Amino acid sequence: MVVNRRISVSAAPPVSRTASTQPAVRVPELSMPSVPNVHSQPDEPKKKRRRKATKPKEKIVTYPRLLQVLFALFVVSVYASVVCRSDFPQSLLLCRSLDLYRRQIVDPYILPPVESVIQHAEPYVSTLKPYAISTAKFTRTHITPHISAFIDSSLFYYHAEVAPRLQWLIVDRVWSGVMKPLYFDTLHPTLERHTRPFYNDHLAPGASKVVAYAQATCVRVLPHAQHYLLNTRKNAARVYEVVRLHMLDLHQRIRPHVIVFLDQAHTHALALAQKAGDLRRQFIDPHVRKILDKVTEKYDPSSDDSSTDSSAHPLVGSLSDVPPLDIVIT
């Protein structure tokens, strides 16, 4: 009988349950792209980035720029209208340019279309003119008085009711009650604290220098100005005396001739008046007498022929008694 011998097996070592003894799952390492160090390699050239082409921004004409252009055009127009009128040979470049522009552009290309439009619209304007006149007359007689009355009543109501309430609300309540205390309590100290040093450091020295220079200039110029003013007054008084003597001499020499001229004018005026009276009695009075006779016959047909005599009518009889027209010039 054969007996197998048992082989002794050593016991397994104790297994720990901590994380360090557990089998870890291995992940294959990923190769990261190497980033060049700018600080460590300064000699390596940098790659230029391509920038996208952007559209140029359109220039926006602002209102101050437009106002400056309009003001410049206005000044040039006024200057040209004042100077180029007297510059007949056109010695100035501006006048020559404006004249060339007028002859080559305005006269052949601008004025003919405008004149044709005016001539084309003239019949329609003449057709609408009576309606416009009637509309203006109706507006002046029926609408304007009501509008004037409404404006007067509105102004009266505004000055009586609205203005005091606005004064009380805006000035007394809002400005004096809220805005003014708020400004002097909060904003004014802050502005004073920030602006006073700047004024004292930069503006005050310059202002004091300007004031001192102006005072020194005034002190230096004032004696010369007073001297020139005194000389001007003396020269003006001297010129006045000389001119006064010449004017008195001229008056003494002209006065007899003026008196003779006035006497002759008076004589001729009297003769002319006498002649006008004679012509009136010769040519006008007979026609007036005939007119009065016809009027008398029209309103008194039953009277005989003797009633048409000049002595029968008081007005006709008075025509012969009308004295000649005498004009007395003193």
Side-chain angles (χ1 to χ4, degrees), residues 13-320:
V15 179
S16 177
R17 295 184 179 276
T18 60
S20 61
T21 59
Q22 297 296 327
V25 180
R26 295 182 178 274
V27 180
E29 295 182 357
L30 299 176
S31 61
M32 300 297 292
S34 62
V35 179
N37 192 357
V38 178
H39 300 285
S40 62
Q41 298 176 359
D43 298 335
E44 185 179 357
K46 298 180 181 180
K47 295 183 179 180
K48 296 182 179 180
R49 296 180 180 179
R50 294 182 179 179
R51 296 182 179 179
K52 295 181 179 180
T54 58
K55 295 182 179 180
K57 296 182 179 180
E58 296 180 357
K59 293 184 179 180
I60 301 174
V61 180
T62 57
Y63 287 103
R65 181 64 178 172
L66 181 61
L67 292 177
Q68 291 177 2
V69 172
L70 294 177
F71 180 73
L73 290 176
F74 174 74
V75 171
V76 171
S77 302
V78 173
Y79 176 78
S81 62
V82 172
V83 174
C84 294
R85 287 186 176 182
S86 58
D87 189 17
F88 181 72
Q90 297 178 0
S91 59
L92 297 176
L93 179 61
L94 177 62
C95 298
R96 290 199 303 270
S97 302
L98 291 176
D99 184 69
L100 183 64
Y101 174 76
R102 180 183 61 81
R103 286 187 288 104
Q104 295 187 359
I105 296 178
V106 175
D107 291 343
Y109 298 106
I110 297 178
L111 289 182
V114 173
E115 292 177 354
S116 63
V117 169
I118 293 174
Q119 292 177 0
H120 181 71
E122 187 175 0
Y124 302 98
V125 173
S126 60
T127 305
L128 296 175
K129 187 175 180 180
Y131 300 99
I133 293 174
S134 61
T135 303
K137 185 177 180 181
F138 178 80
T139 303
R140 185 172 57 254
T141 55
H142 293 80
I143 298 177
T144 305
H146 298 287
I147 294 176
S148 301
F150 175 75
I151 292 174
D152 294 337
S153 61
S154 300
L155 290 176
F156 177 77
Y157 178 77
Y158 171 78
H159 290 294
E161 300 293 337
V162 179
R165 296 179 185 275
L166 290 177
Q167 177 76 16
W168 173 78
L169 178 62
I170 296 176
V171 178
D172 298 339
R173 293 291 299 275
V174 177
W175 173 250
S176 298
V178 178
M179 299 299 295
K180 196 173 180 180
L182 182 64
Y183 170 76
F184 282 104
D185 293 340
T186 58
L187 187 59
H188 182 71
T190 305
L191 292 175
E192 186 72 17
R193 186 170 60 255
H194 287 85
T195 57
R196 180 60 64 177
F198 177 78
Y199 174 78
N200 294 331
D201 296 339
H202 298 84
L203 298 180
S208 62
K209 289 180 181 179
V210 171
V211 172
Y213 180 76
Q215 291 179 353
T217 304
C218 182
V219 171
R220 187 172 61 255
V221 172
L222 186 61
H224 300 284
Q226 292 178 351
H227 175 69
Y228 289 130
L229 181 61
L230 184 60
N231 291 335
T232 304
R233 292 179 61 183
K234 290 181 179 179
N235 294 330
R238 191 179 301 110
V239 169
Y240 172 74
E241 291 296 334
V242 174
V243 172
R244 179 173 173 272
L245 293 176
H246 287 288
M247 293 300 293
L248 289 175
D249 186 16
L250 182 64
H251 177 265
Q252 293 295 332
R253 286 186 293 179
I254 291 177
R255 187 171 181 274
H257 302 285
V258 173
I259 293 174
V260 172
F261 173 76
L262 290 178
D263 292 338
Q264 292 179 358
H266 179 70
T267 305
H268 289 295
L270 291 177
L272 183 62
Q274 183 68 29
K275 188 174 181 180
D278 296 338
L279 294 175
R280 189 261 305 173
R281 285 189 294 271
Q282 182 179 357
F283 296 101
I284 298 177
D285 288 350
H287 297 286
V288 174
R289 187 176 293 107
K290 290 179 181 179
I291 293 171
L292 292 177
D293 294 340
K294 291 181 180 180
V295 170
T296 305
E297 292 176 358
K298 182 178 180 181
Y299 287 97
D300 192 9
S302 60
S303 61
D304 53 355
D305 296 336
S306 61
S307 61
T308 59
D309 191 9
S310 60
S311 61
H313 201 283
L315 295 177
V316 177
S318 61
L319 289 175
S320 60

